Amino acid sequence: MTIQQVAAAAGVSPSTVSNLLNGRTNRMVPATKERIERAIAELGYRPNRAARQLRTGRTQTVGLIVPSVGNPFWGAFARELEVAALAVGCNVLLCNSERDPDRERRYVEELWEDGVRGIVLCSSLPTLDHLADIVRRGLRLVTFDRPAQAGDPEEVVSVSINNHVGGFLATSHLTELGHERLTFVSGSLAAVNRTGRFRGFCTALEGADLDPAAMPTWTAGGGAPFGDVEAAQVGRQAAHDLFSGTVEPPTGIVAINDMTALGFCRGLRDQGLHVGKDVSVVGFDDIILAELYDPPLTSVRQPISRMASLSLEEALKEDDREPGRSVLLRPELVVRDSTASPTGATAPVVADEDGVLQ
Amino acid sequence: MTIQQVAAAAGVSPSTVSNLLNGRTNRMVPATKERIERAIAELGYRPNRAARQLRTGRTQTVGLIVPSVGNPFWGAFARELEVAALAVGCNVLLCNSERDPDRERRYVEELWEDGVRGIVLCSSLPTLDHLADIVRRGLRLVTFDRPAQAGDPEEVVSVSINNHVGGFLATSHLTELGHERLTFVSGSLAAVNRTGRFRGFCTALEGADLDPAAMPTWTAGGGAPFGDVEAAQVGRQAAHDLFSGTVEPPTGIVAINDMTALGFCRGLRDQGLHVGKDVSVVGFDDIILAELYDPPLTSVRQPISRMASLSLEEALKEDDREPGRSVLLRPELVVRDSTASPTGATAPVVADEDGVLQ
DNA sequence: GTGAAAGCGCTAACAT
DNA sequence: ATGTTAGCGCTTTCAC
């Protein structure tokens, strides 16, 4: 089934069919349009993408590179992006980078050669140096959860939440409950979003007249930089380390994400401690399992649906770029049962029935 | 960067370069080979896919259609499939069907037009009628978790666990613990894998001299057929219904998957009941969160890594098809703390440290 | 062992 | 308002 056959069937030339296919219907008389449309329908014709792409150099595909779809947060985000893409007739090519710059580079090259319209990149690595040349060659790159950094190619746009605010919300929730010994638990901090959250943690502590430097700290064991799937393992390890050492352990935890938070809760349980009673835990992302967990996890929610459509929109934009544009959305704290005041009494919190803090 | 320029730089014709690119190195003298390879390296040449595909009609892409990557099980599977694909230089195009036949059909058509080598389909719908014509036109279709059914196009191959065995393992674990009132909790049973699990449930009951028909039943509320993301909601609703009615509730639950099981646990908690004490719950899939949950969830594990590589392999096979081939792998029961004997005493179970039943 | 040439299906100047 | 035409970059007979 080619455009030629359709043209023959409709008694017109291929270019007229092509014009119809590309929305230039103003260049033909309605009767012609109708004839072609009938021919297309009858023959069940669908244009060949490879030919189209070879000719125009463009595709209807965007690439999505996430650290790991094994992490439900990225799964959920991928799904939202796909919904947005579907609505505008676009495909999504999904890749897992495991936050490995080499692998990321390889995927980006691959996607670029595939002719993707743009790439939504979710790994938040400290620099984009490994991708700079491709961006300079014209790749439209959108970084998700990684605001533009000094040194980034200026063409890159970004969509993320304000991680500083997120870290701040999580932490001040704990200080307001009366916690004075807090620990920020994360795997490697070598990701832009992570340092943002950590800065928010420090800011909130200072706002509560607490000294960040005086807090019990935990650092992911050397060697293997944990991937996203191992996030839970990180949390579990942290709980073991923090509660079995000689240092007085914290009463509240801010975790880098929900998987880590849930792993931490698991680690607490390993030691017979109770989340929400002995220790308060705040997660980040508000994945679906936060609500399901026992106890339901207090978490900082990211508006992923909105973020997905914004990311897609940016990834598809043609040339009217606004270089270096960063969109920062506001996260919201969802208070559930994993946090309470350190004495055990729950502090009064005003929240709607979905748990969103007012 | 085109093949012409490489040819010019190496002082040969495009066809010789093409021969090299396609592994036909036996057709040229080693010196030529080397010269071309140097030219390719120096110019940083990479073949244009669109042109290649237009010419050959083939791609290096496989399609993957899952019910929803929002469900961590599918996220994990997608990741495994990608790993397998990466190893053989293949791309994966990921789609969420939400188990909607129309959407599925649309995606399959889309992928087919995109020239994918094959499609791995994970939705387990009762029939493949909506895809029969495309399969007949040559689409290489692999159904995951959906053994071939009577009426399927014979070209379709399948990879799945033996769901009957899985349902049996889950259920007999409970009967061996002494449970006599069991309920199978699932959303719509209109999926092949689901009926298999349910049959295993019945078989195990009969093996324990219990009458399936005498068990308390629960059926997903009418109207909206729950999608995969709503699986947790299904479980929660089931817990509410089963434990607030006039019928004597079950002491053990076999859930269709872990998300539903976790939702069920949440629902039990809503009513002040304790999983593993008041009620035993077995899930299915062994997603990463099963292990993290409180209490850790007993679940039927699917060997997804193995299943992913098998699926990919089948999807990529050229013409040497073995029509109707079904690969059935054996699931294994992972016993954790969400199951115990109805009296509250834990029955002795022999398991290795990872919880795998011996 | 290597090259010339045709053409995959489509689009977009450029005619008319 | 519609048609003619020249490729996009590659593969693959078929010559030599």
Side-chain angles (χ1 to χ4, degrees), chain B residues 37 51 130 151 198 200 226 231 251 258 281 339:
Chain B
E37 278 168 347
H130 56 308
F198 182 64
F226 288 107
T251 64
D258 284 348
V281 176
T339 47

Side-chain angles (χ1 to χ4, degrees), chain A residues 28-272:
Chain A
M28 69 199 70
V29 92
T32 311
K33 172 167 177 276
E34 223 162 83
R35 232 169 342 121
I36 301 177
E37 277 168 346
R38 199 165 40 241
I40 288 179
E42 274 168 16
L43 277 61
Y45 166 77
R46 307 281 307 249
N48 175 314
R49 298 207 188 219
R52 233 169 168 164
Q53 182 184 342
L54 177 58
R55 185 59 234 240
T56 63
R58 271 170 291 139
T59 356
Q60 277 302 96
T61 305
V62 295
L64 171 62
I65 302 180
V66 298
S68 161
V69 266
N71 178 327
F73 176 71
W74 296 118
F77 180 71
R79 188 159 158 267
E80 293 291 344
L81 194 84
E82 196 191 336
V83 167
L86 199 62
V88 297
C90 239
N91 276 124
V92 179
L93 215 31
L94 183 74
C95 316
N96 290 275
S97 73
E98 308 292 339
R99 292 193 201 277
D100 172 352
D102 289 340
R103 197 154 155 183
E104 195 166 294
R105 160 88 196 184
R106 180 173 160 188
Y107 271 132
V108 168
E109 266 185 347
E110 191 109 1
L111 291 168
W112 173 240
E113 278 158 23
D114 254 10
V116 295
R117 293 269 296 270
I119 293 179
V120 178
L121 178 71
C122 302
S123 62
S124 293
L125 292 172
T127 85
L128 295 179
D129 294 350
H130 57 308
L131 308 177
D133 60 322
I134 309 190
V135 170
R136 216 154 289 128
R137 280 192 277 147
L139 171 66
R140 180 144 193 97
L141 186 67
V142 180
T143 59
F144 176 87
D145 206 11
R146 183 188 179 286
Q149 303 293 300
D152 285 358
E154 64 171 21
E155 298 89 339
V156 176
V157 305
S158 84
V159 174
S160 68
I161 54 162
N162 189 321
N163 281 298
H164 186 258
V165 168
F168 181 87
L169 285 174
T171 311
S172 45
H173 169 57
L174 291 174
T175 59
E176 279 163 18
L177 285 169
H179 290 270
E180 299 186 339
R181 290 185 65 76
L182 299 177
T183 299
F184 187 83
V185 172
S186 172
S188 160
L189 275 174
V192 171
N193 55 348
R194 299 190 167 204
T195 54
R197 292 175 195 181
F198 182 63
R199 283 191 296 105
F201 174 78
C202 295
T203 304
L205 287 178
E206 284 158 5
D209 282 326
L210 296 169
D211 178 10
M215 298 295 140
T217 59
W218 180 81
T219 313
F226 289 105
D228 250 69
V229 174
E230 292 80 24
Q233 186 51 40
V234 168
R236 198 167 177 178
Q237 186 62 50
H240 290 172
D241 294 347
L242 281 167
F243 287 83
S244 64
T246 53
V247 190
E248 190 190 345
T251 64
I253 294 293
V254 175
I256 192 64
N257 59 39
D258 285 348
M259 291 301 282
T260 299
L262 295 180
F264 193 91
C265 293
R266 181 70 164 90
L268 286 177
R269 214 165 49 241
D270 293 339
Q271 327 206 27

Side-chain angles (χ1 to χ4, degrees), chain B residues 158-196:
Chain B
S158 84
V159 174
S160 66
I161 54 162
N162 190 321
N163 281 298
H164 186 257
V165 168
F168 181 87
L169 285 174
T171 311
S172 44
H173 170 57
L174 291 174
T175 58
E176 280 162 18
L177 285 169
H179 290 269
E180 299 186 339
R181 291 185 64 75
L182 300 177
T183 300
F184 187 83
V185 173
S186 170
S188 162
L189 275 175
V192 171
N193 55 348
R194 299 189 167 203
T195 53

Side-chain angles (χ1 to χ4, degrees), chain B residues 12 14 30 59 62 75-76 100 131 136 152 154 158 160 168 175 204 208 219 238 286 293 312 325 341-342:
Chain B
V12 296
T59 356
V62 295
D100 172 352
L131 308 176
R136 217 154 288 128
D152 284 358
E154 64 170 23
S158 84
S160 66
F168 181 87
T175 58
T219 313
D286 193 30
Y293 202 70
L312 184 78
R325 183 164 128 90
S341 70

